[in-house]
Amino acid sequence: MSTPTPIAYYMLAPEGIDEGIAKILDTLSESGIKVEVIGDPSRVRESLYTVLFLLKENTGAYAARIACRTSRSTLLIYTTSTVSDMLYVKDLLESRGRKLHTVLVENEADILDRIRSYIRGYRAAAASSDMRILLFGVDYDDSVLGTLNSIVEPDYYVFAWNEASDTIDEGIKYSSLYIDTYLSAYFDVKGKDEEKLSKSLGLYLAIKSVLDNEGANAVLIDCNRIYSSKGFTPWITMNLLLDEGIPASCMNRPLSLLVHAVSLALTGKPAWEPYMLKIKDGKLLLMGKLAPTLLFKQVSLIDKGGYYELTGQIRESEYILVSLSPGRMMVSLNPVKVESYTKANNGVNVAVNRASLWENLLSDKVYLMPITDIDSLRVSFESLNFKPIPGT
């Protein structure tokens, strides 16, 4: 059985390419959108996501055959002259419970502006659907991973605890040689205890070696087992991975991988993941252990006795506070600005500027994303079968 293409772009032209289509194809190609022009829909590949340009009349039946080979979602881009074709395909797909988006292009010169957010959202959804997840020291458990599996169906590579433990010990043994190479690029390590630094760096080197050997591009870690067995937490390690563009999380929050993958695809930066929410002085206070240097400034190390953790100040910018309800397959997208931040001995505290924002949140599974293009973010979650509930 062949693996579906993550995302495919097709333009129907049964009678060949005319000057108008050629010009559109050149414009799209210059923006990195490589469209395959086809006249025979029987040759199309199965894909997770399909972007289909309906620019010629009487192509609805062909378009429907292509769309039906799409497993996740289809984007139909149509004109005023192909509205009948779009409606034919839309009715067929919706009657079969298929997901789709539609975009009307009235002026073909503006086609890029009209579809940009949709293309970016589809690409982000496709990237999150293309994960091969390393379960580092994690026993495969459908009860933990079930929701993630139902959304993106990733591949897994299980690296059992016995092997993981030995690999961590090996990484710690040699990690002191690489402190200046790796950690000093992110943190001020001057005067810090080398043995404590070696723990987090050793875990990072261990995970990276398995990721590279197995071709995995995301990782779930048994954080509690590492702490109970090795005596330190994995937050610094996950920070390093996230800053390198590798989605990483603890095994009890597998959906975080999807959120990080979407954020990285849209912005090149991970999301920030609070682990607790509180209300203080009428404001929503987010509390977390991670401080990715792509999002934070003045990140520093906190001595926790036998190991180091992180604190820092988040960069002043606009963010989207994302709240997920995986049980209801809903997502709330709330534009916010960071109002204040404080260093804390138990991690990082961040207050945001939306009064009564907590009333709009769907659950305690929240993430702060460095995204200003909320339309692309909405499309990406819609394409992953979440129902977006706009923030108010």
Side-chain angles (χ1 to χ4, degrees):
M1 184 176 177
S2 60
T3 302
T5 301
I7 184 168
Y9 304 86
Y10 295 116
M11 185 178 293
L12 278 165
E15 298 177 0
I17 300 174
D18 58 26
E19 184 178 346
I21 287 182
K23 186 176 181 180
I24 292 172
L25 289 172
D26 288 342
T27 300
L28 295 171
S29 180
E30 289 171 1
S31 296
I33 302 171
K34 306 297 183 182
V35 181
E36 184 176 348
V37 179
I38 59 172
D40 182 2
S42 66
R43 296 180 175 273
V44 303
R45 305 174 300 277
E46 288 190 25
S47 59
L48 298 178
Y49 301 94
T50 296
V51 179
L52 188 54
F53 294 84
L54 299 178
L55 305 184
K56 293 294 182 180
E57 296 178 46
N58 302 317
T59 55
Y62 286 167
R65 291 173 65 184
I66 295 172
C68 285
R69 293 183 65 82
T70 304
S71 60
R72 297 288 175 80
S73 187
T74 300
L75 171 62
L76 299 176
I77 300 159
Y78 67 102
T79 68
T80 53
S81 63
T82 60
V83 63
S84 293
D85 298 294
M86 180 278 293
L87 291 172
Y88 173 81
V89 179
K90 180 180 179 181
D91 178 57
L92 178 66
L93 293 183
E94 291 187 340
S95 68
R96 297 185 179 186
R98 301 293 187 91
K99 186 74 178 177
L100 81 156
H101 296 89
T102 60
V103 177
L104 172 63
V105 177
E106 297 184 75
N107 182 351
E108 293 179 355
D110 298 331
I111 192 168
L112 273 176
D113 291 335
R114 295 287 297 155
I115 69 174
R116 197 181 306 276
S117 292
Y118 290 90
I119 296 293
R120 295 184 75 237
Y122 268 46
R123 285 176 170 172
S128 66
S129 300
D130 196 32
M131 287 190 290
R132 186 168 194 246
I133 301 172
L134 168 65
L135 302 179
F136 190 83
V138 177
D139 297 325
Y140 186 89
D141 186 346
D142 281 335
S143 66
V144 173
L145 304 172
T147 302
L148 182 63
N149 290 346
S150 68
I151 299 170
V152 293
E153 300 176 4
D155 293 329
Y156 292 103
Y157 177 75
V158 179
F159 198 66
W161 174 249
N162 287 341
E163 289 183 280
S165 178
D166 292 342
T167 307
I168 294 169
D169 292 341
E170 188 76 6
I172 293 173
K173 181 179 178 181
Y174 293 103
S175 62
S176 61
L177 301 173
Y178 303 100
I179 288 175
D180 287 338
T181 305
Y182 287 97
L183 295 185
S184 62
Y186 294 91
F187 317 113
D188 181 7
V189 298
K190 186 177 180 180
K192 297 294 190 292
D193 187 285
E194 185 176 286
E195 183 178 350
K196 296 176 184 178
L197 292 173
S198 295
K199 295 176 180 179
S200 294
L201 183 54
L203 175 60
Y204 164 82
L205 294 174
I207 292 174
K208 278 286 287 182
S209 68
V210 184
L211 284 169
D212 293 342
N213 288 339
E214 301 303 328
N217 57 9
V219 60
L220 279 177
I221 305 169
D222 191 333
C223 300
N224 291 333
R225 182 178 261 174
I226 286 174
Y227 179 73
S228 62
S229 177
K230 303 298 181 181
F232 65 96
T233 60
W235 304 115
I236 293 176
T237 295
M238 287 197 291
N239 246 51
L240 295 173
L241 293 167
L242 289 169
D243 276 336
E244 289 185 8
I246 299 170
S249 186
C250 295
M251 65 174 292
N252 63 335
R253 291 184 71 117
L255 277 184
S256 296
L257 299 185
L258 182 149
V259 176
H260 288 308
V262 168
S263 184
L264 286 162
L266 290 174
T267 69
K269 299 176 182 179
W272 180 61
E273 183 176 351
Y275 70 94
M276 186 181 297
L277 293 79
K278 291 185 177 180
I279 299 172
K280 184 176 181 180
D281 300 327
K283 299 174 185 176
L284 181 64
L285 185 66
L286 312 174
M287 309 171 69
K289 295 284 189 179
L290 293 169
T293 56
L294 290 174
L295 301 182
F296 280 70
K297 58 185 178 180
Q298 301 177 10
V299 178
S300 56
L301 303 173
I302 309 170
D303 194 332
K304 303 295 286 186
Y307 58 94
Y308 289 113
E309 284 191 354
L310 299 163
T311 190
Q313 295 181 352
I314 196 167
R315 298 181 189 278
E316 297 177 6
S317 182
E318 295 180 342
Y319 296 86
I320 304 295
L321 189 65
V322 178
S323 172
L324 295 175
S325 173
R328 292 177 286 169
M329 288 301 292
M330 296 169 64
V331 60
S332 175
L333 308 175
N334 300 274
V336 297
K337 269 192 174 182
V338 169
E339 186 168 89
S340 62
Y341 40 76
T342 59
K343 294 183 178 181
N345 289 331
N346 61 344
V348 179
N349 295 342
V350 174
V352 297
N353 69 337
R354 290 283 300 279
S356 302
L357 174 60
W358 55 87
E359 296 178 356
N360 300 330
L361 302 181
L362 299 172
S363 75
D364 61 342
K365 295 177 177 62
V366 299
Y367 305 85
L368 205 59
M369 290 182 130
I371 294 172
T372 55
D373 183 3
I374 195 170
D375 292 330
S376 293
L377 183 58
R378 182 179 294 111
V379 169
S380 66
F381 277 113
E382 285 178 348
S383 303
L384 293 165
N385 289 325
F386 282 89
K387 180 181 179 182
I389 307 298
T392 57

